[in-house]
Amino acid sequence: PCAAPRQATRAITCRDVAFRAKAPASLDSGKLYALVTAGRAWQTEFGNPARPHRRRGARISHGGTLADQSALSGVKVMVIDDSNTIRRSAEIFLLQAGCTVILAEDGFDALAKIADHHPNLVFVDIMMPRLDGYQTCALIKKNAKFRTTPVIMLSSKDGLFDRARGRMVGSDQYLTKPFTKESLLKAVAAHVKRAAA
């Protein structure tokens, strides 16, 4: 938890989540902070609420560490999602683990960047405008250069049909949103270990 000479209860809001937490009174509006509660972390900005629901018992944290984070140092990870909140949250978690992060707003943006950056692993959201996650994954896997690059689908849906459709287009794993820092890094570590074997 953040140390501060004076504590005050403040409302903290971010996409899909709202908190009332003990927070340093000196926190500035517009600055980025990480919130951790019940084993989950969210990125948020003071003064930037969006569709909140209330949850109690939050605390402000600078992020934890995992024993195997050093193994992820230098791993290039691309995150494709039309949600700025999801992209930035994933970026924070991955950067803390030492990964190099490439962000893309949608499938077209990703396809324009992937050839330049050659990521070791790709996270792609399913529901995106213009080019959805299934189409993006299929196009990545059809390219001979990236056929073996692991693609992990991100979705708030967790149905058998969604998972099966992901497999049909070549995805290597399916991660349900909202994801935790642990689940995100565990997925990266698993594929890095598999590639090294």
Side-chain angles (χ1 to χ4, degrees):
C2 294
R6 184 161 63 93
Q7 298 286 321
T9 300
R10 296 185 60 171
I12 303 171
T13 53
C14 61
R15 180 172 175 151
D16 300 326
V17 186
F19 304 99
R20 183 162 295 277
K22 281 287 187 179
S26 59
L27 292 182
D28 298 324
S29 178
K31 285 194 175 179
L32 200 60
Y33 297 92
L35 296 176
V36 180
T37 181
R40 292 187 177 180
W42 289 270
Q43 175 184 322
T44 187
E45 236 177 65
F46 279 108
N48 187 23
R51 302 200 314 275
H53 67 262
R54 187 166 298 282
R55 184 176 294 217
R56 298 182 181 277
R59 62 185 176 83
I60 295 183
S61 171
H62 293 295
T65 58
L66 294 179
D68 60 350
Q69 281 187 2
S70 59
L72 304 184
S73 181
V75 176
K76 285 186 182 181
V77 181
M78 174 175 275
V79 179
I80 313 166
D81 201 301
D82 60 326
S83 165
N84 183 61
T85 303
I86 296 295
R87 287 197 311 274
R88 296 303 175 187
S89 297
E91 182 182 34
I92 288 172
F93 298 154
L94 293 165
L95 288 175
Q96 287 176 347
C99 297
T100 299
V101 185
I102 305 105
L103 301 177
E105 295 180 3
D106 55 38
F108 286 111
D109 187 25
L111 294 174
K113 292 177 178 178
I114 194 169
D116 293 329
H117 296 281
H118 290 270
N120 301 113
L121 184 142
V122 176
F123 286 100
V124 59
D125 180 35
I126 289 179
M127 301 299 292
M128 296 187 295
R130 301 200 297 169
L131 199 65
D132 67 25
Y134 297 120
Q135 295 168 314
T136 302
C137 178
L139 288 170
I140 291 172
K141 291 293 186 175
K142 283 179 182 177
N143 189 315
K145 292 181 180 178
F146 306 109
R147 189 171 296 146
T148 59
T149 302
V151 176
I152 299 175
M153 311 296 282
L154 297 174
S155 179
S156 55
K157 298 180 180 180
D158 194 24
L160 290 175
F161 174 78
D162 302 293
R163 290 176 177 272
R165 190 176 173 191
R167 290 288 184 186
M168 287 173 63
V169 295
S171 71
D172 298 88
Q173 192 177 334
Y174 194 100
L175 197 62
T176 306
K177 295 191 289 187
F179 49 79
T180 64
K181 177 178 180 178
E182 287 74 17
S183 65
L184 192 76
L185 298 186
K186 185 178 178 181
V188 177
H191 288 284
V192 168
K193 185 177 179 181
R194 192 173 302 163

